[in-house]
Amino acid sequence: MTSTSHAPNPGTPAASDPRGSAGPLSRLPMPSIRLQKGLALANVIAQIGIMTTGVTVRVTASGLGCETWPRCNQDSFTPVAGAGPAMHQAIEFGNRLLTFVLVAVAAALLLALLRAGRRRGLIWLALAMPAGILAQAVIGGITVLAGLVWWTVALHLLPSMILAWLAAVLFVRIGEDDDSPAKRVLPEPLSWLIILSAVLLAGVLVTGTMVTGAGPHAGDARIGAADRLQMPIQWLVHFHAELMVGYVCLLIGLAFGLIALRAQGPAVRRSLILIGLIAAQAVVGITQYQLGVPELLVVLHVTLAGTITAVTGSLWAAAVIRDRAVPARRPRR
């Protein structure tokens, strides 16, 4: 894969750039850096959005609105009147349809990067998107076929978090100059703090799925107690919360260190944004626990979790940066 030394002008396609792709892709218009970043942002939003619709399926007890997979029911790929509650069928089938939207956005992003001849690291990140989405569709099918056993539901959510992380890294990397050398701008102790915070975030997400597995929202009214996590939910909630406290304490220490060292790049800004999001998440989590886990707050909680994961990915990417891409100059007429 060849690489471009400069990104195209934000407002115009770099049709004159000879370093774009050859072959069939050369028939496509050269995508501007603005278009590439727009598609990457759409990809981040879509990855978080599918979590929002997925948890909506769960809290509305629509998880078996389509009772099998890949068909919706034994006779049809689409909902059949009378085969189940119409609302449940519509919510579950609508969530399945969104998978095609994610694939379309991911494919458009990959084609744009290939056409622009971007560096290999970006191409691999872009390839991970459609591959991960297809894997998620299979996991979702297994979840339905297994009857929404709690651990299959947990496995269905966690890969979406990984995809949101990777999508955020890809978004921030697209604006970099492909030919400039990568440089580490954070000292090693602060880089290790970022790594440790990511490990704690993984623990927070895993224990969050366990809280859900022991909680009141099973995904379908027909799910029995035997298919739920047999652990005290109060203990799980406190363990989940303590991991979150450890996570945010690491981030606060990281932010102070970044400010004291006047770190280059966007790491300070992203760490402060992340701390603000976690504070909002804490308020939501405490409120939903006190109110008996109302459905709307569960949806907000999962959406914020996806957003926090994406911003953590962008913070991870801030440890090693390249120079920003220099827009190509417009030729004089």
Side-chain angles (χ1 to χ4, degrees), residues 8-288:
N9 187 288
T12 59
S16 61
D17 190 344
R19 289 163 292 191
S21 62
L25 286 178
S26 63
R27 299 181 180 182
L28 297 175
M30 182 66 72
S32 67
I33 188 64
R34 179 177 294 173
L35 176 60
Q36 295 173 48
K37 293 196 73 171
L39 288 171
L41 179 59
N43 184 51
V44 174
I45 294 171
Q47 294 296 343
I48 297 172
I50 197 72
M51 298 183 211
T52 303
T53 59
V55 72
T56 301
V57 170
R58 186 175 187 84
V59 299
T60 58
S62 302
L64 295 179
C66 286
E67 61 188 7
T68 189
W69 186 89
R71 289 183 171 88
C72 186
N73 58 53
Q74 297 297 332
D75 301 317
S76 175
F77 283 95
T78 58
V80 174
M87 182 61 70
H88 292 177
Q89 290 190 78
I91 293 173
E92 166 62 8
F93 186 68
N95 184 60
R96 291 188 181 190
L97 287 179
L98 282 177
T99 300
F100 295 98
V101 176
L102 263 70
V103 170
V105 172
L109 175 58
L110 176 59
L111 288 174
L113 297 183
L114 287 170
R115 176 66 183 96
R118 300 303 302 268
R119 66 183 184 272
R120 186 171 299 174
L122 297 182
I123 301 302
W124 280 113
L125 281 172
L127 276 170
M129 295 297 107
I133 293 164
L134 292 177
Q136 264 292 65
V138 174
I139 295 171
I142 294 171
T143 301
V144 171
L145 295 174
L148 305 186
V149 179
W150 78 269
W151 59 268
T152 64
V153 178
L155 288 177
H156 192 34
L157 173 65
L158 293 174
S160 288
M161 294 293 180
I162 296 173
L163 288 174
W165 172 292
L166 294 176
V169 173
L170 178 57
F171 171 71
V172 300
R173 294 288 190 222
I174 279 179
E176 297 173 340
D177 188 338
D178 288 342
D179 283 350
S180 69
K183 54 185 178 181
R184 180 168 293 278
V185 295
L186 301 184
E188 190 171 350
L190 293 186
S191 295
W192 276 107
L193 271 184
I194 294 179
I195 293 171
L196 185 56
S197 69
V199 172
L200 274 183
L201 174 60
V204 170
L205 295 174
V206 170
T207 55
T209 65
M210 295 173 70
V211 171
T212 302
H217 300 296
D220 190 274
R222 292 166 286 181
I223 305 301
D227 292 324
R228 309 294 288 142
L229 177 58
Q230 305 298 316
M231 293 184 70
I233 191 170
Q234 292 84 0
W235 184 88
L236 289 171
V237 167
H238 285 294
F239 186 45
H240 175 65
E242 286 163 7
L243 285 175
M244 177 63 84
V245 170
Y247 174 52
V248 75
C249 286
L250 279 178
L251 289 174
I252 291 172
L254 174 65
F256 275 113
L258 292 170
I259 292 170
L261 295 175
R262 298 181 179 179
Q264 299 180 51
V268 173
R269 182 177 70 253
R270 291 175 189 171
S271 64
L272 294 177
I273 291 172
L274 193 51
I275 291 169
L277 287 170
I278 294 170
Q281 180 74 306
V283 172
V284 172
I286 293 170
T287 303
Q288 73 176 21

